[in-house]
Amino acid sequence: MSSATAEARPEHRNLVGAFWRGFRDFRRSRPFWGGLLAMIAGVPILYFPYAHLSLGGVTIAMSTTAGAGSLIIGVLLIILGLTAWFQPAVRIFAGVATTLLTLVSIPVSNLAGFGMALLPGLIGGGLMMAWAKLPEPAVATVAEAAEGTTAESVATEQPSAAPAAEQSVAEQPVTEEPAAEPPAAGGTVPAQQAAEPKEVR
């Protein structure tokens, strides 16, 4: 089998590179870090009211009457983080709600999960409210390139058109009109003779 009839070698696809490029596009097109911090803030608020900590042989249960409020706040923070990821259009509402729920969790849910959810919740809400979609530079770049090409073509055509015009003017034959004969010395052409039409032979 010759090299002409051999099948082309299939390209090896880099799955890790393709996944990273897809993740990078996903991260840049939405308030990724704000949503992630909101979900991180919801975890300690959910965990501590239902946790049982063991200190030596003593088991400490922190379940209180505020457990239902902590459950609702934690679940809502996680939902708001996912909403900011998959519905970036409502990022302002998600950011404001995240900030308010984080502040409400201070008296309701063990000081916002013993302070572990306070900073992530506030920073995440601020990032969601401040995020804006990047402008697309591709359209502007194409337009600028087209304008640059048009300007270059016009600049190259103008000098070439000027010599052609000069050459066409130079090639035109110059015709000289015969000079009129001066009148005889001491006399003038009679007005009647000047008014008569000349015969064309």
Side-chain angles (χ1 to χ4, degrees):
M1 179 168 39
S2 64
S3 61
T5 58
E7 294 183 359
R9 187 184 213 175
E11 296 181 358
H12 296 286
R13 295 183 178 178
N14 188 358
L15 297 179
V16 177
F19 173 77
W20 179 253
R21 285 191 294 272
F23 172 72
R24 182 181 59 190
D25 296 338
F26 176 83
R27 177 171 51 86
R28 291 179 176 178
S29 60
R30 63 205 69 241
F32 177 79
W33 298 111
L36 180 63
L37 288 174
M39 288 186 280
I40 290 174
V43 172
I45 293 176
L46 272 175
Y47 175 74
F48 285 116
Y50 299 98
H52 295 278
L53 301 179
S54 296
L55 297 176
V58 180
T59 302
I60 300 175
M62 290 183 289
S63 299
T64 60
T65 55
S70 301
L71 176 65
I72 293 172
I73 291 173
V75 170
L76 284 177
L77 285 175
I78 294 174
I79 291 174
L80 288 171
L82 293 173
T83 302
W85 276 9
F86 297 103
Q87 294 293 333
V90 294
R91 64 187 181 275
I92 303 296
F93 167 76
V96 173
T98 300
T99 304
L100 293 177
L101 286 174
T102 305
L103 294 175
V104 169
S105 68
I106 295 174
V108 172
S109 178
N110 299 324
L111 298 175
F114 298 105
M116 297 177 63
L118 186 60
L119 284 179
L122 294 178
I123 295 173
L127 287 177
M128 282 190 277
M129 288 185 285
W131 183 85
K133 191 174 181 180
L134 292 174
E136 298 180 359
V139 177
T141 306
V142 171
E144 291 175 0
E147 290 177 1
T149 307
T150 306
E152 290 178 1
S153 62
V154 170
T156 52
E157 288 176 0
Q158 285 179 351
S160 61
E166 293 177 359
Q167 184 177 2
S168 62
V169 170
E171 289 178 355
Q172 291 179 356
V174 179
T175 56
E176 296 181 357
E177 296 180 357
E181 295 181 359
T188 59
V189 179
Q192 185 180 0
Q193 186 180 356
E196 292 179 359
K198 297 182 180 180
E199 296 179 1
V200 180
R201 295 180 182 179

